[in-house]
Amino acid sequence: MSDHTHEHGDACGHDHDHDHEHEEFVLTLTDEQGNDVEMVLVETFDVGENLYALLLERENPEADGIILRVEEENDEMMLYNIEDEEEWNAVEAAYNELVAQLED
């Protein structure tokens, strides 16, 4: 897996063993304009046989998130765009259901 760095504010009061409960999973995606955008994985959910991840922009968490399909290849997590409309409709419905449950 690729190296990753932890960024903490100046008032970081805990040691940096990898056992914090709120570990951020951050990955960098490239947008249509070729800019790198840091995304934070905030939620994963299953739809049928597949696992999906909701990612939000680290610098702009209010912006629309993106949902990608998660697949494991050679013990590495790979993320794929959802290109099949039928698959997307099922994922969107499951996500809306998830959001509704969280809001209750």
Side-chain angles (χ1 to χ4, degrees):
M1 261 182 98
S2 60
D3 293 338
H4 66 279
T5 57
H6 289 275
E7 291 179 31
H8 291 283
D10 294 333
C12 177
H14 61 273
D15 62 21
H16 289 184
D17 292 332
H18 283 83
D19 60 358
H20 13 289
E21 288 175 38
H22 207 74
E23 176 105 12
E24 269 192 349
F25 187 82
V26 179
L27 56 153
T28 304
L29 300 179
T30 305
D31 66 14
E32 284 96 23
Q33 288 79 39
N35 301 313
D36 285 347
V37 181
E38 282 199 331
M39 305 294 286
V40 179
L41 193 157
V42 291
E43 191 72 56
T44 58
F45 57 99
D46 292 301
V47 180
E49 300 288 307
N50 294 320
L51 179 67
Y52 296 88
L54 170 65
L55 305 170
L56 295 179
E57 280 185 47
R58 190 176 199 181
E59 302 300 318
N60 188 9
E62 298 303 309
D64 287 341
I66 60 169
I67 298 174
L68 299 173
R69 187 174 63 251
V70 179
E71 291 185 12
E72 210 173 286
E73 291 180 15
N74 304 323
D75 294 329
E76 283 194 36
M77 196 172 90
M78 307 294 282
L79 298 170
Y80 294 96
N81 288 321
I82 301 166
E83 292 170 5
D84 181 79
E85 191 174 337
E86 199 174 298
E87 180 184 5
W88 175 252
N89 290 338
V91 169
E92 193 174 35
Y95 174 69
N96 291 336
E97 198 174 296
L98 183 76
V99 170
Q101 288 172 2
L102 294 174
E103 289 174 350
D104 282 349

